[in-house]
Amino acid sequence: MSDQTSTGESTDESFVSFGEQGAQLTYGSYLRLPQLLDSQHLESDPPAHDELLFITIHQVYELWFKQLLHEVTAARDAMLAGTSGGRLWWAQHLMARVHVIERVLVQQVDVLETMTPQDFLEFRQRLAPASGFQSVQFRELEFLSGAKDPAYLERFKGITAAEREHLEARLAEPTLWDAFLVALGSVGLPAGTDGEVTASLRTVAHDRDQYAVVWALAEALLQHDELAASWRARHVVMVERMIGAKSGTGGSSGATYLRSRLPVQYYPLLWELRSEL
């Protein structure tokens, strides 16, 4: 036991004092709160009351997108290691976390909908030509999930060199689906063609005792796909409620464009499997 002073404080040199007394990390410095809380700058003049809410919601979305990319990338890499890496359980665990975050993304729309169309119109014109269409992290997540769209790089006119580099990297690297096919192969199931994959999935579905982890991963991917679809559907209804049929601030057709994205499926073979069982 170390020596104690009359005040009860340790004199051991290994003693670490936290917080303000020890000039160590504080809650605010660890989270970079001064920088974070200084990142909401209104464009409206005079300031529109609801613009702060609009900025905050979208910054929170981007933080969640960053976390989702972190988790999905790790889940993909774990599947790419296959059974030899012994990390398929880790991929399943991470995808469960992804699902919880995605449910939060859907629920966040409720907060945005506390803003009325009239309140939004107070500052909407100040946003042009900025648009949610330009969210690079959201596109990265779609690319990584399996919906790669090289044409997006050409449609996004305001893309920076760094953003283009991020997206090109995502286009070149394996997707979650690519990794799942590796996982199938790692347990001895063929996955070279769509027909082989479908046959292998039927085998997995009918022998869940032997292929429990692979079945769980297939269901995790399907859940990810379903939740992404739920977010797109919730988003388009919110946009229609807010601006009707008006065009988007970035020049898109607004709700019409968003509705065109509703049929997107990351893993059509997993959906088709339901008809094969």
Side-chain angles (χ1 to χ4, degrees), residues 84-158:
S84 61
R87 303 287 283 173
L88 294 184
W89 68 270
W90 179 242
Q92 182 186 348
H93 167 72
L94 293 179
M95 290 306 298
R97 178 180 295 166
V98 166
H99 303 155
V100 176
I101 295 173
E102 288 173 328
R103 290 188 183 97
V104 171
L105 297 186
V106 176
Q107 293 168 351
Q108 262 184 203
V109 177
D110 290 341
V111 181
L112 196 55
E113 282 193 335
T114 64
M115 179 172 59
T116 68
Q118 301 94 310
D119 295 331
F120 182 41
L121 290 173
E122 284 187 39
F123 62 90
R124 182 174 184 259
Q125 289 306 313
R126 288 281 188 171
L127 304 180
S131 168
F133 176 81
Q134 299 163 343
S135 172
V136 171
Q137 288 197 120
F138 179 74
R139 296 299 170 177
E140 282 189 72
L141 187 59
E142 285 201 324
F143 291 0
L144 186 54
S145 296
K148 292 185 176 181
D149 180 14
Y152 175 75
L153 277 68
E154 305 308 319
R155 295 197 300 270
F156 186 2
K157 302 301 182 184

XYZ file of all heavy atoms in Angstrom, residues 84-158:
616
model
N -11.845 -19.760 -41.264
C -10.428 -19.866 -40.892
C -10.033 -18.764 -39.923
O -9.156 -18.930 -39.083
C -9.544 -19.795 -42.140
O -9.709 -18.547 -42.811
N -10.694 -17.620 -40.050
C -10.404 -16.522 -39.137
C -11.192 -16.602 -37.847
O -10.901 -15.877 -36.894
N -12.184 -17.472 -37.810
C -12.989 -17.644 -36.595
C -13.734 -16.401 -36.183
O -13.989 -16.187 -34.990
N -14.105 -15.552 -37.159
C -14.710 -14.270 -36.810
C -16.141 -14.100 -37.352
O -16.670 -13.000 -37.346
C -13.842 -13.130 -37.348
C -12.413 -13.156 -36.871
C -12.311 -12.749 -35.419
N -12.435 -11.314 -35.254
C -12.518 -10.687 -34.076
N -12.544 -11.398 -32.972
N -12.604 -9.383 -33.996
N -16.756 -15.182 -37.798
C -18.111 -15.049 -38.322
C -19.080 -14.607 -37.227
O -20.017 -13.845 -37.481
C -18.578 -16.358 -38.956
C -17.831 -16.804 -40.220
C -18.468 -18.055 -40.800
C -17.791 -15.688 -41.267
N -18.826 -15.067 -35.999
C -19.678 -14.635 -34.885
C -19.559 -13.123 -34.654
O -20.528 -12.463 -34.291
C -19.289 -15.382 -33.599
C -17.926 -14.986 -33.087
C -16.733 -15.543 -33.395
C -17.630 -13.899 -32.197
N -15.698 -14.894 -32.761
C -16.224 -13.878 -32.010
C -18.409 -12.958 -31.531
C -15.591 -12.950 -31.192
C -17.772 -12.020 -30.719
C -16.378 -12.026 -30.555
N -18.344 -12.596 -34.882
C -18.106 -11.163 -34.699
C -18.874 -10.361 -35.742
O -19.456 -9.314 -35.429
C -16.611 -10.891 -34.778
C -16.180 -9.457 -34.621
C -15.521 -8.689 -35.539
C -16.359 -8.618 -33.471
N -15.276 -7.434 -35.047
C -15.778 -7.352 -33.775
C -16.949 -8.804 -32.229
C -15.785 -6.293 -32.875
C -16.948 -7.749 -31.322
C -16.367 -6.514 -31.651
N -18.892 -10.850 -36.971
C -19.658 -10.180 -38.021
C -21.135 -10.142 -37.646
O -21.813 -9.116 -37.828
C -19.465 -10.908 -39.346
N -21.651 -11.246 -37.129
C -23.050 -11.306 -36.708
C -23.323 -10.299 -35.589
O -24.333 -9.587 -35.599
C -23.380 -12.724 -36.243
C -24.824 -12.926 -35.813
C -25.053 -14.309 -35.235
O -24.199 -15.190 -35.343
N -26.206 -14.503 -34.611
N -22.414 -10.231 -34.639
C -22.555 -9.292 -33.520
C -22.586 -7.845 -34.017
O -23.427 -7.044 -33.591
C -21.393 -9.493 -32.543
C -21.250 -8.407 -31.521
N -22.123 -8.253 -30.468
C -20.335 -7.406 -31.400
C -21.758 -7.211 -29.740
N -20.679 -6.674 -30.287
N -21.684 -7.503 -34.924
C -21.613 -6.130 -35.428
C -22.850 -5.774 -36.245
O -23.346 -4.636 -36.178
C -20.355 -5.948 -36.278
C -19.018 -6.049 -35.527
C -17.858 -5.883 -36.503
C -18.937 -5.011 -34.419
N -23.357 -6.718 -37.012
C -24.557 -6.443 -37.797
C -25.766 -6.214 -36.893
O -26.654 -5.412 -37.223
C -24.831 -7.584 -38.779
C -23.831 -7.667 -39.924
S -23.638 -6.111 -40.860
C -25.303 -5.901 -41.515
N -25.805 -6.877 -35.748
C -26.883 -6.619 -34.792
C -26.825 -5.172 -34.303
O -27.853 -4.507 -34.132
C -26.789 -7.586 -33.613
N -25.613 -4.662 -34.097
C -25.452 -3.259 -33.702
C -25.891 -2.329 -34.838
O -26.535 -1.301 -34.597
C -23.991 -2.982 -33.333
C -23.714 -1.536 -32.950
C -22.258 -1.348 -32.592
N -21.915 -2.105 -31.399
C -20.662 -2.353 -31.011
N -19.638 -1.912 -31.739
N -20.424 -3.038 -29.908
N -25.538 -2.684 -36.063
C -25.951 -1.896 -37.231
C -27.469 -1.765 -37.271
O -28.012 -0.682 -37.518
C -25.427 -2.553 -38.530
C -26.111 -1.966 -39.759
C -23.915 -2.372 -38.634
N -28.174 -2.852 -36.997
C -29.636 -2.823 -37.026
C -30.206 -1.829 -36.004
O -31.147 -1.097 -36.305
C -30.208 -4.211 -36.740
C -29.736 -5.271 -37.684
N -29.707 -6.602 -37.350
C -29.264 -5.193 -38.958
C -29.243 -7.302 -38.378
N -28.961 -6.464 -39.360
N -29.628 -1.831 -34.814
C -30.116 -0.923 -33.772
C -29.909 0.530 -34.193
O -30.793 1.379 -34.027
C -29.410 -1.206 -32.428
C -29.849 -0.194 -31.375
C -29.722 -2.623 -31.951
N -28.743 0.829 -34.755
C -28.463 2.194 -35.207
C -29.417 2.589 -36.329
O -29.935 3.715 -36.359
C -26.996 2.323 -35.670
C -26.043 2.111 -34.500
C -26.752 3.690 -36.313
C -24.577 2.046 -34.898
N -29.678 1.675 -37.237
C -30.565 1.983 -38.360
C -31.991 2.261 -37.881
O -32.687 3.101 -38.461
C -30.532 0.848 -39.378
C -29.220 0.804 -40.142
C -29.073 -0.397 -41.049
O -29.599 -1.482 -40.718
O -28.424 -0.262 -42.104
N -32.413 1.589 -36.822
C -33.739 1.893 -36.267
C -33.763 3.307 -35.686
O -34.773 4.012 -35.773
C -34.109 0.855 -35.201
C -34.387 -0.532 -35.770
C -34.937 -1.479 -34.706
N -35.127 -2.803 -35.279
C -34.261 -3.805 -35.167
N -33.121 -3.625 -34.507
N -34.505 -4.982 -35.714
N -32.650 3.717 -35.090
C -32.546 5.089 -34.571
C -32.660 6.090 -35.722
O -33.328 7.125 -35.598
C -31.215 5.283 -33.817
C -30.998 6.758 -33.474
C -31.191 4.435 -32.542
N -32.029 5.801 -36.861
C -32.089 6.697 -38.018
C -33.529 6.889 -38.478
O -33.934 7.997 -38.844
C -31.253 6.138 -39.171
C -29.751 6.000 -38.951
C -29.069 5.563 -40.245
C -29.147 7.288 -38.446
N -34.286 5.807 -38.483
C -35.696 5.905 -38.896
C -36.478 6.744 -37.892
O -37.254 7.624 -38.262
C -36.316 4.504 -39.041
C -37.808 4.613 -39.366
C -35.614 3.705 -40.137
N -36.249 6.501 -36.607
C -36.997 7.212 -35.567
C -36.649 8.694 -35.518
O -37.479 9.518 -35.115
C -36.734 6.558 -34.210
C -37.313 5.156 -34.091
C -36.819 4.407 -32.871
O -35.910 4.854 -32.173
N -37.407 3.251 -32.621
N -35.412 9.040 -35.938
C -35.014 10.448 -35.928
C -35.871 11.308 -36.833
O -35.978 12.522 -36.634
C -33.544 10.571 -36.365
C -32.588 10.696 -35.214
C -31.163 10.920 -35.662
O -30.271 10.623 -34.913
N -30.907 11.447 -36.838
N -36.489 10.706 -37.838
C -37.348 11.468 -38.736
C -38.498 12.092 -37.959
O -38.967 13.181 -38.292
C -37.877 10.573 -39.875
C -38.843 11.339 -40.774
C -36.718 10.031 -40.705
N -38.944 11.425 -36.893
C -40.026 11.976 -36.072
C -39.652 13.341 -35.516
O -40.494 14.245 -35.424
C -40.349 11.026 -34.915
C -41.010 9.736 -35.365
O -41.544 9.716 -36.499
O -41.003 8.757 -34.598
N -38.394 13.493 -35.125
C -37.948 14.779 -34.580
C -37.991 15.845 -35.668
O -38.472 16.966 -35.447
C -36.521 14.667 -34.005
C -36.081 16.006 -33.414
C -36.447 13.569 -32.961
N -37.531 15.497 -36.851
C -37.529 16.458 -37.957
C -38.943 16.877 -38.328
O -39.184 18.021 -38.719
C -36.810 15.844 -39.166
C -36.373 16.793 -40.278
C -35.491 17.909 -39.734
C -35.638 16.027 -41.363
N -39.885 15.957 -38.186
C -41.267 16.264 -38.563
C -41.990 17.149 -37.552
O -43.138 17.536 -37.785
C -42.049 14.968 -38.782
C -41.756 14.324 -40.122
C -42.732 13.226 -40.475
O -43.338 12.619 -39.563
O -42.897 12.959 -41.676
N -41.326 17.493 -36.460
C -41.925 18.498 -35.571
C -41.802 19.888 -36.183
O -42.397 20.846 -35.680
C -41.256 18.495 -34.180
O -39.879 18.868 -34.304
C -41.378 17.129 -33.525
N -41.031 20.002 -37.253
C -40.904 21.260 -38.001
C -42.012 21.325 -39.049
O -42.214 20.380 -39.807
C -39.533 21.310 -38.678
C -39.274 22.555 -39.500
S -37.541 22.614 -40.061
C -37.424 21.086 -41.010
N -42.727 22.418 -39.100
C -43.815 22.559 -40.067
C -43.265 22.995 -41.420
O -42.154 23.551 -41.510
C -44.845 23.603 -39.604
O -44.220 24.899 -39.635
C -45.349 23.304 -38.200
N -44.005 22.760 -42.508
C -43.561 23.235 -43.823
C -43.295 24.740 -43.836
O -42.340 25.203 -44.448
C -44.727 22.863 -44.739
C -45.392 21.712 -44.065
C -45.253 21.969 -42.594
N -44.152 25.512 -43.143
C -43.964 26.963 -43.113
C -42.640 27.342 -42.462
O -41.929 28.250 -42.929
C -45.124 27.629 -42.339
C -46.501 27.366 -42.927
C -47.182 26.162 -42.268
O -46.578 25.099 -42.151
N -48.426 26.354 -41.842
N -42.315 26.629 -41.367
C -41.056 26.916 -40.665
C -39.858 26.550 -41.528
O -38.830 27.241 -41.524
C -41.001 26.153 -39.341
C -42.069 26.628 -38.362
O -42.450 27.808 -38.443
O -42.510 25.814 -37.532
N -39.961 25.442 -42.259
C -38.862 25.021 -43.132
C -38.659 26.033 -44.256
O -37.518 26.354 -44.628
C -39.163 23.634 -43.690
C -38.085 23.073 -44.579
C -36.741 23.219 -44.268
C -38.408 22.380 -45.735
C -35.740 22.687 -45.083
C -37.426 21.853 -46.560
C -36.088 22.002 -46.233
N -39.741 26.543 -44.799
C -39.644 27.482 -45.920
C -38.973 28.796 -45.527
O -38.496 29.541 -46.394
C -41.029 27.754 -46.502
C -41.665 26.582 -47.264
C -43.104 26.903 -47.657
C -40.843 26.234 -48.500
N -38.899 29.065 -44.226
C -38.239 30.283 -43.779
C -36.761 30.304 -44.153
O -36.178 31.371 -44.342
C -38.379 30.448 -42.257
C -39.743 30.909 -41.789
C -39.724 31.204 -40.296
O -38.702 31.760 -39.801
O -40.701 30.862 -39.614
N -36.144 29.135 -44.255
C -34.707 29.104 -44.535
C -34.342 28.171 -45.681
O -33.173 28.067 -46.052
C -33.922 28.700 -43.273
C -34.222 27.331 -42.750
C -33.510 26.225 -43.187
C -35.226 27.133 -41.804
C -33.780 24.950 -42.702
C -35.499 25.863 -41.309
C -34.778 24.770 -41.762
N -35.330 27.497 -46.292
C -35.020 26.472 -47.290
C -34.205 27.018 -48.463
O -33.257 26.375 -48.932
C -36.309 25.833 -47.814
C -36.034 24.716 -48.836
C -37.320 24.007 -49.234
N -37.025 22.889 -50.123
C -37.164 22.916 -51.440
N -37.625 24.017 -52.045
N -36.859 21.865 -52.169
N -34.556 28.193 -48.948
C -33.853 28.729 -50.108
C -32.387 29.009 -49.821
O -31.556 29.028 -50.727
C -34.544 30.013 -50.592
C -35.893 29.762 -51.258
C -35.796 28.739 -52.388
O -34.909 28.811 -53.237
N -36.711 27.765 -52.392
N -32.057 29.191 -48.545
C -30.662 29.420 -48.156
C -29.811 28.158 -48.346
O -28.589 28.234 -48.393
C -30.601 29.855 -46.689
C -31.110 31.267 -46.447
C -30.054 32.282 -46.821
N -30.420 33.630 -46.443
C -29.592 34.664 -46.502
N -28.350 34.483 -46.926
N -29.992 35.872 -46.165
N -30.473 27.002 -48.430
C -29.741 25.742 -48.519
C -29.199 25.482 -49.915
O -28.201 24.778 -50.082
C -30.649 24.573 -48.116
C -31.306 24.647 -46.743
C -32.164 23.411 -46.510
C -30.261 24.784 -45.645
N -29.868 25.990 -50.933
C -29.486 25.705 -52.315
C -28.057 26.185 -52.593
O -27.653 27.259 -52.131
C -30.463 26.369 -53.271
N -27.273 25.386 -53.341
C -27.623 24.105 -53.965
C -27.270 22.882 -53.116
O -27.132 21.778 -53.646
C -26.783 24.134 -55.235
C -25.518 24.816 -54.803
C -25.942 25.856 -53.784
N -27.093 23.062 -51.792
C -26.800 21.914 -50.939
C -27.988 20.967 -50.911
O -29.145 21.402 -50.994
C -26.465 22.391 -49.526
N -27.711 19.678 -50.783
C -28.773 18.677 -50.798
C -28.306 17.411 -50.117
O -27.110 17.090 -50.132
C -29.179 18.365 -52.242
O -30.009 17.225 -52.317
N -29.262 16.675 -49.515
C -28.930 15.389 -48.927
C -28.388 14.415 -49.956
O -27.684 13.454 -49.610
N -28.678 14.659 -51.224
C -28.149 13.850 -52.319
C -26.621 13.835 -52.279
O -25.988 12.897 -52.768
C -28.642 14.437 -53.648
C -28.092 13.768 -54.884
C -28.632 12.572 -55.358
C -27.037 14.339 -55.594
C -28.126 11.959 -56.493
C -26.524 13.731 -56.734
C -27.081 12.532 -57.184
N -26.027 14.866 -51.689
C -24.579 15.022 -51.672
C -23.912 14.357 -50.461
O -22.708 14.531 -50.258
C -24.230 16.512 -51.684
C -24.735 17.231 -52.929
C -24.756 18.746 -52.778
O -24.703 19.261 -51.655
N -24.831 19.452 -53.893
N -24.659 13.603 -49.669
C -24.061 12.940 -48.514
C -23.143 11.820 -48.985
O -23.596 10.748 -49.394
C -25.143 12.365 -47.590
O -24.544 11.580 -46.574
N -21.859 12.060 -48.912
C -20.870 11.086 -49.383
C -20.878 9.845 -48.496
O -20.790 8.706 -48.984
C -19.469 11.723 -49.417
C -18.395 10.671 -49.682
C -19.418 12.806 -50.495
N -21.009 10.028 -47.200
C -21.004 8.872 -46.303
C -22.194 7.952 -46.561
O -22.063 6.721 -46.491
C -20.994 9.329 -44.846
C -19.683 9.928 -44.383
C -19.615 9.978 -42.865
O -18.740 9.379 -42.248
N -20.543 10.700 -42.256
N -23.357 8.547 -46.852
C -24.529 7.719 -47.154
C -24.278 6.892 -48.407
O -24.616 5.702 -48.464
C -25.771 8.593 -47.327
C -27.016 7.804 -47.666
C -27.647 7.044 -46.698
C -27.538 7.812 -48.944
C -28.783 6.301 -47.000
C -28.670 7.075 -49.265
C -29.294 6.315 -48.279
N -23.652 7.505 -49.427
C -23.340 6.759 -50.653
C -22.289 5.687 -50.385
O -22.368 4.580 -50.939
C -22.854 7.714 -51.739
C -23.897 8.725 -52.182
C -25.124 8.048 -52.761
N -26.197 9.020 -52.955
C -27.381 8.753 -53.496
N -27.658 7.517 -53.888
N -28.291 9.695 -53.628
N -21.323 6.011 -49.539
C -20.330 4.996 -49.169
C -21.020 3.784 -48.548
O -20.670 2.635 -48.847
C -19.334 5.568 -48.171
C -18.260 6.458 -48.756
C -17.200 6.784 -47.712
O -16.415 5.878 -47.366
O -17.181 7.928 -47.229
N -21.980 4.052 -47.687
C -22.694 2.969 -47.021
C -23.481 2.132 -48.019
O -23.505 0.902 -47.939
C -23.624 3.547 -45.951
C -24.336 2.550 -45.039
C -23.329 1.695 -44.279
C -25.256 3.287 -44.072
N -24.115 2.800 -48.993
C -24.834 2.063 -50.027
C -23.877 1.226 -50.868
O -24.157 0.058 -51.164
C -25.612 3.028 -50.930
C -26.864 3.595 -50.305
C -27.848 4.118 -51.326
O -27.394 4.686 -52.355
O -29.065 3.967 -51.119
N -22.755 1.811 -51.262
C -21.762 1.081 -52.065
C -21.261 -0.139 -51.290
O -21.151 -1.243 -51.829
C -20.574 1.975 -52.410
C -20.886 3.089 -53.386
C -22.156 3.261 -53.922
C -19.890 3.985 -53.770
C -22.431 4.286 -54.821
C -20.153 5.005 -54.670
C -21.426 5.159 -55.200
N -20.930 0.064 -50.030
C -20.395 -1.012 -49.200
C -21.435 -2.104 -48.978
O -21.104 -3.291 -48.880
C -19.921 -0.443 -47.863
C -19.190 -1.360 -46.881
C -17.996 -2.031 -47.539
C -18.745 -0.560 -45.664
N -22.699 -1.699 -48.922
C -23.777 -2.668 -48.709
C -24.040 -3.500 -49.958
O -24.594 -4.596 -49.861
C -25.056 -1.945 -48.284
O -24.883 -1.300 -47.034
N -23.675 -2.975 -51.129
C -23.849 -3.746 -52.361
C -24.465 -2.979 -53.507
O -24.460 -3.450 -54.642
N -25.017 -1.792 -53.240
C -25.653 -0.993 -54.294
C -24.642 0.000 -54.858
O -24.737 1.212 -54.618
C -26.883 -0.268 -53.757
N -23.675 -0.497 -55.599
C -22.645 0.369 -56.178
C -23.202 1.119 -57.378
O -23.895 0.542 -58.219
C -21.423 -0.452 -56.592
C -20.651 -1.032 -55.409
C -19.383 -1.734 -55.857
C -18.569 -2.231 -54.668
N -17.317 -2.900 -55.073
N -22.895 2.409 -57.450
C -23.410 3.264 -58.520
C -22.302 4.211 -58.974
O -22.211 5.352 -58.502
C -24.626 4.057 -58.016
C -25.214 4.966 -59.089
O -24.862 4.807 -60.277
O -26.048 5.840 -58.735
N -21.445 3.781 -59.915
C -20.340 4.640 -60.378
C -20.833 5.948 -60.980
O -20.122 6.959 -60.924
C -19.645 3.773 -61.439
C -20.046 2.368 -61.125
C -21.424 2.460 -60.559
N -22.045 5.942 -61.544
C -22.568 7.157 -62.175
C -22.795 8.273 -61.166
O -22.859 9.446 -61.535
C -23.874 6.839 -62.913
N -22.906 7.921 -59.874
C -23.113 8.947 -58.853
C -21.975 9.952 -58.852
O -22.184 11.145 -58.630
C -23.244 8.307 -57.474
C -23.330 9.310 -56.344
C -24.501 10.020 -56.118
C -22.225 9.558 -55.528
C -24.573 10.954 -55.092
C -22.291 10.481 -54.506
C -23.463 11.179 -54.289
O -23.531 12.109 -53.274
N -20.753 9.482 -59.112
C -19.594 10.372 -59.107
C -19.706 11.440 -60.180
O -19.173 12.545 -60.025
C -18.297 9.577 -59.283
C -17.713 8.942 -58.023
C -18.595 7.821 -57.505
C -16.305 8.425 -58.273
N -20.387 11.115 -61.274
C -20.555 12.084 -62.352
C -21.734 13.011 -62.075
O -21.715 14.181 -62.438
C -20.756 11.352 -63.678
C -19.644 10.357 -64.001
C -18.259 10.981 -63.912
O -18.092 12.131 -64.358
O -17.343 10.315 -63.372
N -22.766 12.480 -61.427
C -23.950 13.303 -61.132
C -23.679 14.312 -60.024
O -24.296 15.372 -59.978
C -25.132 12.409 -60.732
C -25.622 11.487 -61.838
C -27.009 10.948 -61.527
N -27.051 10.192 -60.292
C -26.844 8.884 -60.198
N -26.547 8.180 -61.301
N -26.920 8.260 -59.039
N -22.747 13.987 -59.135
C -22.418 14.860 -58.012
C -21.368 15.865 -58.468
O -20.170 15.615 -58.426
C -21.914 14.018 -56.851
C -21.680 14.785 -55.571
C -21.961 16.143 -55.463
C -21.168 14.142 -54.456
C -21.738 16.840 -54.296
C -20.928 14.829 -53.280
C -21.213 16.181 -53.199
N -21.828 17.026 -58.917
C -20.922 18.019 -59.520
C -20.006 18.693 -58.499
O -18.907 19.115 -58.835
C -21.747 19.091 -60.258
C -22.649 18.529 -61.353
C -21.854 17.780 -62.406
C -22.749 17.261 -63.533
N -22.003 16.452 -64.518
N -20.457 18.812 -57.256
C -19.665 19.546 -56.276
C -18.725 18.685 -55.466
O -18.211 19.122 -54.437
